[in-house]
Amino acid sequence: YERELSAHLRVCNVKREQKFLEDKPFYRRSINSGSLRRPGLNPQPLDVDEVPAILARIRGLQHQKQSHPRGEEVEQITSGPVAEKILATMVAKNWTSESKARHLVQQASLISHLHRRGLLGARSTCVELGAGRGTLGHAVHQAFPEARVVLVERAGVRLKADAPYRRTGEGGVFARYRLDIRDLWINGLPLGPGG
């Protein structure tokens, strides 16, 4: 078994890929894992007498959440210039299945809310963590073609939404990084001009 393992390690590319990733400026091993041994953080043991008050607070927050069901807290934006650009994709690509249509409406509403609050626009950089296929980034590009979209995903994903942009030469607006979020030092990402 040891002989087979050593033979495998000579040809395995995982170690080479890991070394390549570790050399990137945005890679910091376990930087987002959290630690109780950080400077300035002095955790105190929990006093048993405090537990009932903490539980009462949790129950109160839970009751408050249940009295404001989902959908009543935030209006869904499905009209306006930003949402209409994104929803036009649904018609153009014939995405008529209920699941695809629901996701597209959610994305249009989310992007419209971010735009309304000044958090997303033509000169923005959108970093999508846990991007998967990158459909949210794709919707951002539909609404703001000049915006830069950075996709971060741990696993390799097929049928990526940003693939057509790379093939047509519009790939400059998209960047995709394959690494675990726990190792992502966001200040090291090359976000480009104005990033």
Side-chain angles (χ1 to χ4, degrees):
Y1 176 77
E2 286 181 31
R3 194 180 89 236
E4 290 174 10
L5 179 61
S6 63
H8 171 75
L9 290 176
R10 282 194 299 270
V11 296
C12 182
N13 61 357
V14 171
K15 196 170 186 177
R16 207 174 16 231
E17 288 174 4
Q18 184 64 28
K19 174 71 174 122
F20 177 76
L21 187 59
E22 289 172 357
D23 291 340
K24 297 296 181 189
F26 52 82
Y27 182 86
R28 299 280 190 279
R29 183 173 207 71
S30 297
I31 192 165
N32 296 314
S33 293
S35 170
L36 295 178
R37 303 193 191 285
R38 289 196 179 166
L41 183 63
N42 188 14
Q44 301 295 320
L46 184 64
D47 187 0
V48 175
D49 296 333
E50 296 176 73
V51 173
I54 292 171
L55 290 175
R57 177 161 176 157
I58 291 171
R59 286 187 189 108
L61 291 171
Q62 183 181 15
H63 175 72
Q64 181 182 359
K65 177 67 177 167
Q66 288 172 349
S67 64
H68 297 286
R70 190 195 266 177
E72 290 180 11
E73 296 173 4
V74 178
E75 78 172 292
Q76 189 171 34
I77 302 175
T78 56
S79 63
V82 174
E84 287 169 8
K85 280 183 185 177
I86 298 166
L87 295 173
T89 303
M90 182 170 67
V91 175
K93 296 194 177 202
N94 199 19
W95 286 357
T96 54
S97 77
E98 185 178 332
S99 174
K100 287 181 182 179
R102 186 180 71 242
H103 283 106
L104 205 53
V105 168
Q106 289 171 348
Q107 291 168 353
S109 182
L110 175 64
I111 292 167
S112 295
H113 278 287
L114 291 171
H115 179 66
R116 182 183 283 178
R117 287 169 178 77
L119 299 172
L120 187 61
R123 298 169 99 18
S124 299
T125 298
C126 174
V127 180
E128 184 180 355
L129 302 175
R133 293 182 52 221
T135 54
L136 180 60
H138 174 69
V140 168
H141 180 69
Q142 294 296 314
F144 306 105
E146 306 84 23
R148 182 161 164 73
V149 179
V150 178
L151 307 171
V152 179
E153 175 60 38
R154 179 179 64 172
V157 179
R158 295 176 55 208
L159 304 171
K160 298 173 182 80
D162 54 315
Y165 300 108
R166 290 194 308 259
R167 281 194 298 268
T168 61
E170 288 185 64
V173 297
F174 278 92
R176 181 178 281 274
Y177 299 103
R178 185 175 169 191
L179 77 152
D180 198 311
I181 294 171
R182 74 174 175 200
D183 302 324
L184 173 65
W185 185 52
I186 203 157
N187 292 346
L189 279 176
L191 298 177

